[in-house]
Amino acid sequence: MNYLCAVTLIFCFIHCPVIASEKNEQQGLFSLPVEELLQLEVTVAARKSEPWLSSSGTVYVIGKNEIENYGWRDLKEILASIPNMDYFYQWSWLPGGQRGFTGNMSGTLMLIDGREVQNLLANEAFIMNNFPASRIERVEVLQGPNSTLYGGNATQGVINVITRLGQDENELSLIAAEADTKHAHLLLNHQYDQLSVALSASYFESAQDYEQLRAFVMNPTEFSRSSKDALRDLNPDNFRNDERNYTLDGRMNYQDFYVGANVSRSENVSGIEAVTYDYVTGDDSRRGYENYYLGKRIELNPRLSGFFEVSYFREYKEKDRLTTQVPDDAQSYEDLFQYNEREDIGPSDRVRVNTQWQYQIDEQTDWIVGYDGWRTHIGRKIKYRKTDEKTILFTPPEWAQDKEKSEKHALFAQYSKTFNWQSKSLKISAGLRHNQQDFTNSAYLPRASIVYQPDSSEAFKFTYGEAFRPPTIFEFDLVVDDELDSQTMKMSELNWSKSFSWNDITFANIAAVYHMKAENFYEKILDPELGVWQTRVTGEHAITGFENQLKFQANHWQGQVSYRFVQPDKTRVGETTEVLDIPTHKLKVGLVYRLSKTWRVAGFIDHWSKVNTQANALLGGGTVVEQIPSWTTVNLHVFRQSQRYSIGLYIENLFDRDYYHSNARGTSPVKYLQAPRNVRLQMRYNF
């Protein structure tokens, strides 16, 4: 869609009638994120409600009004506003991490309404297009290790997606966009006496087959540099990159009892990460999860309250691929021998018992204590290989069948006390978790924080934390012993947060300096004496960095400026070192302007500095270090919002710049082309 079409659509929107009274149009149409932030209480930092300014550690909050202003469609677009999130989108799912650490997002713990929905197979925070913005009330992002309260996988931080269940809203949202992109979301909330019922359901589909993307993946020099290149079918018409997602959130509350579910289903290919020979079938993947929970809130007296909850989490993964055998004399794609192969893992499931209690000694002092216990069963990997005679079912020999079942138990406690004098306060909190689980080491995980507030508008915070990530079933293959030590993370952080006013402009600022060190990477090493490959624990990786986010508002304006700097370090794994392959600098600028009572325009600028990445040499002979250029992209959102209706036009990559994410997980492909300029129409109706 060109600029003429976009201007025509904007002109039509401005002149289209919207059925809403003038009184309604004047109410609540320009909510201010800075005011919301200063008044907001967050839960992600301490597993209890506390003011954002005095919360322990560094917490970023992105609320519904801010999401609507910038026109963000889903969680991955929302996370782009966080100054120190690292990711590389390869058109399938969102690998990455936080604060300069990157990989498969296994160091970030994913929560929905405070409940873990981490992938059981690889401990991943699995983010696709299955987190539409219309599903989200707000996102709380906690930076740094937090295993003391949350257990494994919170080594880099925590993302807590708070849904719109229970928000007393009913809404229908629709999106239509290029590349055959469609989205629909329905939100229903109903209250009757002491019974409340809420439902949130969404559907997303997209071909994701931009012309520029097709041309890019057919260029071996720029893209794959794979041994397969000479034999690939480079017909761009055969490229396919489609995806479909379904989500369902539901919850019912009656007095102090509650029951709910979070369900996700996805169908997609492997994007442009897995280089295949033909791009017709590639890896057709079907995956999904559901989390069912039942609990009761309990208040024994005004000082002692808690909850008891039982949950059941289930996931599955199915994959179809066109497997290829390459004859020695093969000269072209037509010489290859190909057959269909299917690979299933699962279903896998987890039964979990969780209880947490808060004892309020007085207004300034409280204890939090809790227990987590869960039993996990990982579904076995089974491959289905079709031959002329029959179908062969087999499990790969390296699959750790004896590690498919495991139990975990954890006790945790946190003490918090606040000292007040005059307008000043000092809050001290300290926590400890003892975690014990099968096949890996037990651990004591401490976390301590000091928050000093000279007044109600400013806070200085010092935090120390430790965290761990237990090995996955994929990492247990080829282990030397029966157990593997967990990967660990240690962090020291100094945070300064403040709200202030200047010339009728209100500001809220978050600044943090930190040092984080990860140890115990898993590496497959060839034993020279035994002549076999083994998995061993080795290596370390340290990061020192700075991050800052400044939000502001004034009259008809509001916006944000964010910046991050990461001190490059080398990762040591075994006897080798590798240069850190993430951007040293990131700068993000957002601006929203109120044109009238109902019309707004917003722009968001995202800049990443250049980055080095390791890539296959073009003519073979090992690898070389390639440089991915720096890039800046601009997104634009123009929309009209009344009390009941909202309609808007979102233009991604306004100036149609080619920009790339580097590959932080391997040597091929070299880099991933991101979306060219494209337009989407977004509509919302409240009823």
Side-chain angles (χ1 to χ4, degrees):
M1 186 179 292
N2 56 31
Y3 276 119
L4 179 60
C5 295
V7 172
T8 303
L9 283 171
I10 294 174
F11 181 82
C12 293
F13 295 160
I14 294 176
H15 289 82
C16 71
V18 179
I19 305 172
S21 66
E22 185 71 15
K23 179 180 179 180
N24 286 338
E25 289 181 346
Q26 297 179 22
Q27 296 176 352
L29 299 183
F30 195 60
S31 300
L32 301 175
V34 174
E35 289 182 354
E36 294 173 354
L37 184 62
L38 298 178
Q39 299 170 5
L40 188 67
E41 293 205 343
V42 298
T43 60
V44 70
R47 287 181 62 144
K48 67 175 182 178
S49 183
E50 59 181 357
W52 163 80
L53 189 63
S54 62
S55 61
S56 302
T58 300
V59 179
Y60 296 100
V61 181
I62 308 97
K64 182 184 69 172
N65 290 311
E66 189 173 4
I67 295 170
E68 291 178 347
N69 283 340
Y70 289 108
W72 295 322
R73 184 186 67 191
D74 55 26
L75 181 59
K76 64 179 182 297
E77 293 186 1
I78 295 171
L79 294 177
S81 68
I82 304 297
N84 218 345
M85 290 292 301
D86 286 288
Y87 53 82
F88 46 103
Y89 185 48
Q90 22 71 324
W91 298 92
S92 176
W93 55 289
L94 195 68
Q98 295 173 252
R99 287 189 160 179
F101 293 89
T102 189
N104 65 342
M105 204 70 88
S106 61
T108 294
L109 187 67
M110 189 76 209
L111 309 175
I112 297 179
D113 291 329
R115 296 175 182 86
E116 180 182 332
V117 290
Q118 203 84 347
N119 179 302
L120 295 178
L121 291 170
N123 292 339
E124 298 162 338
F126 209 82
I127 300 171
M128 302 174 66
N129 292 296
N130 56 342
F131 285 92
S134 52
R135 182 188 184 191
I136 298 171
E137 178 67 21
R138 71 176 184 271
V139 179
E140 299 176 356
V141 178
L142 174 64
Q143 299 284 75
N146 214 288
S147 284
T148 301
L149 294 177
Y150 288 103
N153 306 109
T155 56
Q156 300 163 20
V158 180
I159 299 173
N160 185 21
V161 173
I162 299 174
T163 67
R164 298 175 64 190
L165 301 180
Q167 297 297 322
D168 195 27
E169 295 176 302
N170 299 292
E171 181 182 285
L172 175 65
S173 302
L174 300 171
I175 293 177
E178 297 186 62
D180 294 325
T181 301
K182 307 175 188 67
H183 164 74
H185 178 261
L186 178 65
L187 174 68
L188 299 173
N189 285 279
H190 179 71
Q191 178 80 37
Y192 179 76
D193 195 16
Q194 298 187 63
L195 176 66
S196 64
V197 180
L199 178 70
S200 171
S202 72
Y203 172 76
F204 170 88
E205 72 171 38
S206 179
Q208 302 184 142
D209 60 347
Y210 299 102
E211 181 179 345
Q212 295 90 329
L213 192 61
R214 291 189 180 201
F216 173 71
V217 299
M218 300 300 165
N219 185 339
T221 301
E222 289 293 322
F223 177 52
S224 66
R225 300 189 181 183
S226 167
S227 59
K228 303 176 180 179
D229 289 336
L231 302 175
R232 283 170 55 203
D233 180 9
L234 298 181
N235 180 359
D237 293 335
N238 288 340
F239 174 69
R240 184 164 63 84
N241 195 33
D242 55 298
E243 180 177 333
R244 283 170 297 281
N245 283 293
Y246 314 80
T247 68
L248 177 68
D249 303 308
R251 186 166 66 231
M252 181 171 64
N253 294 270
Y254 179 71
Q255 295 181 344
D256 292 326
F257 291 92
Y258 59 90
V259 60
N262 304 110
V263 179
S264 176
R265 295 283 185 271
S266 301
E267 300 175 10
N268 72 332
V269 296
S270 292
I272 62 176
E273 182 177 34
V275 182
T276 58
Y277 283 97
D278 69 334
Y279 291 105
V280 176
T281 52
D283 287 349
D284 289 316
S285 177
R286 297 171 296 279
R287 68 181 79 219
Y289 67 78
E290 56 242 32
N291 187 42
Y292 304 101
Y293 56 90
L294 170 67
K296 186 181 191 308
R297 292 176 291 272
I298 304 169
E299 183 174 339
L300 296 180
N301 57 57
R303 292 188 175 185
L304 182 60
S305 61
F307 68 86
F308 182 84
E309 184 173 295
V310 179
S311 62
Y312 175 73
F313 185 87
R314 184 180 186 273
E315 69 179 18
Y316 69 93
K317 179 181 179 181
E318 302 170 350
K319 181 187 293 185
D320 292 318
R321 61 159 57 108
L322 193 63
T323 302
T324 302
Q325 292 183 358
V326 183
D328 293 337
D329 58 349
Q331 300 294 319
S332 66
Y333 175 73
E334 287 71 21
D335 296 330
L336 304 179
F337 174 69
Q338 297 179 310
Y339 56 91
N340 291 321
E341 185 177 75
R342 176 169 167 175
E343 177 184 287
D344 291 355
I345 305 179
S348 304
D349 56 31
R350 177 190 64 208
V351 177
R352 186 170 192 167
V353 177
N354 182 25
T355 185
Q356 177 177 304
W357 294 85
Q358 181 176 359
Y359 179 57
Q360 195 78 35
I361 299 175
D362 52 45
E363 292 184 358
Q364 289 77 37
T365 313
D366 70 74
W367 277 93
I368 289 178
V369 295
Y371 166 79
D372 276 338
W374 57 103
R375 176 176 295 176
T376 303
H377 175 231
I378 301 297
R380 186 163 299 175
K381 178 188 285 190
I382 299 177
K383 290 189 175 184
Y384 302 76
R385 181 168 297 171
K386 292 184 178 180
T387 65
D388 294 337
E389 297 83 14
K390 58 181 179 179
T391 299
I392 302 173
L393 281 66
F394 67 98
T395 297
E398 66 272 13
W399 185 258
Q401 298 185 26
D402 58 330
K403 307 296 192 301
E404 290 176 337
K405 296 181 179 180
S406 64
E407 291 188 4
K408 305 177 185 181
H409 302 276
L411 292 170
F412 61 89
Q414 177 177 271
Y415 173 76
S416 177
K417 185 173 181 61
T418 303
F419 301 92
N420 297 296
W421 67 98
Q422 298 176 352
S423 62
K424 304 176 178 62
S425 69
L426 180 69
K427 184 177 74 172
I428 300 174
S429 61
L432 183 67
R433 182 186 190 94
H434 175 66
N435 200 86
Q436 182 177 0
Q437 59 191 75
D438 296 332
F439 314 126
T440 189
N441 54 308
S442 301
Y444 287 94
L445 301 160
R447 185 176 189 267
S449 177
I450 300 174
V451 180
Y452 170 65
Q453 290 189 256
D455 54 54
S456 60
S457 66
E458 187 175 19
F460 296 89
K461 312 176 186 181
F462 176 77
T463 304
Y464 174 82
E466 296 184 10
F468 76 105
R469 182 183 78 81
T472 70
I473 194 165
F474 300 110
E475 292 161 335
F476 270 122
D477 59 353
L478 308 178
V479 295
V480 179
D481 302 315
D482 190 50
E483 294 187 354
L484 277 178
D485 290 344
S486 296
Q487 293 183 9
T488 61
M489 181 81 75
K490 297 179 180 179
M491 178 199 72
S492 298
E493 172 191 275
L494 180 62
N495 175 291
W496 174 66
S497 300
K498 183 175 176 59
S499 65
F500 59 96
S501 297
W502 178 76
N503 286 351
D504 297 325
I505 306 174
T506 303
F507 297 90
N509 192 78
I510 307 172
V513 179
Y514 64 90
H515 177 78
M516 293 168 59
K517 184 177 181 180
E519 296 179 319
N520 295 352
F521 290 94
Y522 302 128
E523 183 185 23
K524 293 182 179 179
I525 300 174
L526 180 63
D527 189 309
E529 296 182 0
L530 300 178
V532 297
W533 289 91
Q534 299 177 334
T535 298
R536 293 180 179 175
V537 177
T538 181
E540 63 183 37
H541 187 181
I543 297 284
T544 300
F546 167 77
E547 59 190 72
N548 191 93
Q549 183 182 74
L550 175 68
K551 292 188 176 183
F552 59 88
Q553 64 189 44
N555 197 8
H556 296 286
W557 295 89
Q558 64 186 48
Q560 62 172 286
V561 179
S562 299
Y563 174 74
R564 87 96 179 264
F565 170 78
V566 168
Q567 176 64 46
D569 196 5
K570 292 184 178 180
T571 304
R572 181 177 63 82
V573 180
E575 302 300 323
T576 64
T577 58
E578 297 178 2
V579 177
L580 185 70
D581 53 355
I582 53 101
T584 301
H585 304 275
K586 287 186 181 181
L587 176 66
K588 303 169 188 291
V589 180
L591 195 61
V592 183
Y593 179 67
R594 179 171 59 174
L595 297 168
S596 67
K597 293 177 182 178
T598 57
W599 278 95
R600 274 168 281 179
V601 59
F604 196 86
I605 302 172
D606 199 1
H607 170 78
W608 292 21
S609 64
K610 63 184 179 182
V611 59
N612 291 327
T613 186
Q614 196 173 25
N616 289 331
L618 276 172
L619 300 177
T623 61
V624 295
V625 175
E626 292 283 344
Q627 187 176 99
I628 309 301
S630 63
W631 55 265
T632 303
T633 186
V634 180
N635 302 322
L636 180 69
H637 186 219
V638 181
F639 66 110
R640 186 187 197 278
Q641 183 178 19
S642 70
Q643 191 73 14
R644 182 164 291 187
Y645 297 88
S646 175
I647 185 167
L649 187 73
Y650 185 93
I651 305 177
E652 181 181 8
N653 194 355
L654 180 65
F655 298 109
D656 199 21
R657 305 294 189 189
D658 285 345
Y659 68 105
Y660 307 88
H661 287 179
S662 64
N663 185 356
R665 297 209 307 160
T667 58
S668 176
V670 179
K671 55 187 178 181
Y672 303 116
L673 178 70
Q674 299 303 292
R677 180 175 58 233
N678 61 95
V679 180
R680 65 180 182 245
L681 176 64
Q682 306 180 149
M683 294 168 284
R684 177 178 58 81
Y685 171 66
N686 292 94
F687 57 93

